[in-house]
Amino acid sequence: MSKPDPQIEARARARLAADEARMASGSTERITGARRTSQSLGQAWAQFWRHPSPWLIGGFLVGAVAYRSGVRDFAWTELIVPVALLVFFPVIEWVIHVVVLHWRPRKLGGVPVDSLLSRKHREHHSDPRVIPLVFIPWQVELWVLPSYVVVALLAFPSQAAGATFLVTVGALMFGYEWVHFLVHSDYKPRTRGFRSVWRNHRLHHYKNEHYWFTVTSAGTADRLFGTCPDAADVATSPTVRRLHAHEEGRLS
């Protein structure tokens, strides 16, 4: 690993200190609302529901549970899908984060290729304190959620298995949105487990964007793929707040 540049490290410490000072100042931003020195879990939960994504995914989850409740068939084999999704979710999360969210803008046949998800994620990195950018864009959910319904209807051998798949996907998506939001909120970690998740994601945003890609867990898929180094051995990236900044000139 490369040796940390003292100047870059100093800028990073100043940037982090400024962010923490702003969080503690109680000042107000145009989007994020009033800053708090501390936020209770109840206050965070109330703030969470002020954004469209939780309502869309929450509605999807409620509908999926109602649908599954109406299907009376049950076979133990249908539990294979939710168990597999739960086990492999850190890997799925890692792959989506690396391949989709950190997509490098490029031209294919002279046409710029850059999805809404990757653009919004770059905005999210530019200021991790802007809460609306924490969530999956609602425009994406309007086609992703119906796509899951199509998969449930066509890809499973029974209605019950498809319905169980929908409940699992809805629960995992809702859990992801809640944990990601909570990490970026003013809620302070109070448990060892959440503190690990909080620190893991904070390193990704403030230390180096090339590591620590899992969001809802720490030391899982990142260890598997070699992206969970000792933070002290990693140089602070100069582009952690401007992803793929060196690509901009080639696409203009």
Side-chain angles (χ1 to χ4, degrees):
M1 299 196 180
S2 59
K3 185 179 180 180
D5 184 309
Q7 292 184 341
I8 293 177
E9 293 295 318
R11 287 198 296 270
R13 286 193 297 270
R15 185 174 60 211
L16 182 56
D19 183 75
E20 292 293 338
R22 183 177 64 174
M23 187 169 76
S25 68
S27 62
T28 302
E29 284 196 7
R30 61 181 180 87
I31 294 178
T32 56
R35 301 294 183 186
R36 298 184 177 94
T37 56
S38 181
Q39 186 178 36
S40 70
L41 199 59
Q43 289 171 325
W45 181 248
Q47 185 185 18
F48 178 68
W49 286 103
R50 294 174 194 157
H51 303 275
S53 180
W55 289 98
L56 287 170
I57 298 176
F60 176 86
L61 178 57
V62 170
V65 170
Y67 175 45
R68 181 63 189 88
S69 299
V71 179
R72 302 194 178 277
D73 295 337
F74 175 77
W76 288 105
T77 53
E78 76 182 63
L79 296 180
I80 294 174
V81 172
V83 169
L85 283 174
L86 187 61
V87 169
F88 288 103
F89 187 69
V91 173
I92 296 169
E93 190 178 73
W94 190 97
V95 170
I96 292 174
H97 199 164
V98 172
V99 177
V100 179
L101 302 184
H102 281 248
W103 168 268
R104 291 180 178 275
R106 65 200 69 182
K107 288 184 177 180
L108 296 179
V111 179
V113 178
D114 192 20
S115 71
L116 175 65
L117 275 170
S118 59
R119 295 197 305 272
K120 288 294 184 182
H121 194 68
R122 290 198 297 276
E123 290 181 39
H124 175 47
H125 266 266
S126 69
D127 189 352
R129 295 290 302 164
V130 177
I131 294 299
L133 294 173
V134 168
F135 297 98
I136 301 170
W138 63 267
Q139 298 92 333
V140 173
E141 292 173 348
L142 288 181
W143 64 265
V144 166
L145 296 177
S147 296
Y148 286 134
V149 176
V150 173
V151 170
L153 293 174
L154 300 180
F156 289 88
S158 69
Q159 206 175 7
T164 300
F165 164 77
L166 290 177
V167 172
T168 306
V169 168
L172 288 173
M173 287 184 68
F174 191 87
Y176 171 88
E177 288 289 76
W178 168 241
V179 173
H180 190 209
F181 161 78
L182 201 60
V183 167
H184 286 278
S185 73
D186 292 329
Y187 176 75
K188 302 297 184 183
R190 289 175 170 81
T191 65
R192 182 176 180 180
F194 183 62
R195 193 176 295 115
S196 296
V197 170
W198 184 87
R199 181 177 183 274
N200 190 79
H201 196 58
R202 195 171 182 80
L203 286 170
H204 176 74
H205 274 286
Y206 291 101
K207 183 70 174 176
N208 195 304
E209 75 273 24
H210 302 295
Y211 302 99
W212 307 291
F213 289 104
T214 55
V215 176
T216 59
S217 62
T220 52
D222 280 310
R223 292 192 185 279
L224 179 64
F225 294 114
T227 52
C228 189
D230 186 331
D233 296 331
V234 178
T236 299
S237 170
T239 57
V240 72
R241 298 287 284 269
R242 292 187 64 208
L243 300 187
H244 318 313
H246 58 284
E247 304 284 342
E248 294 176 355
R250 290 194 291 173
L251 288 172
S252 58

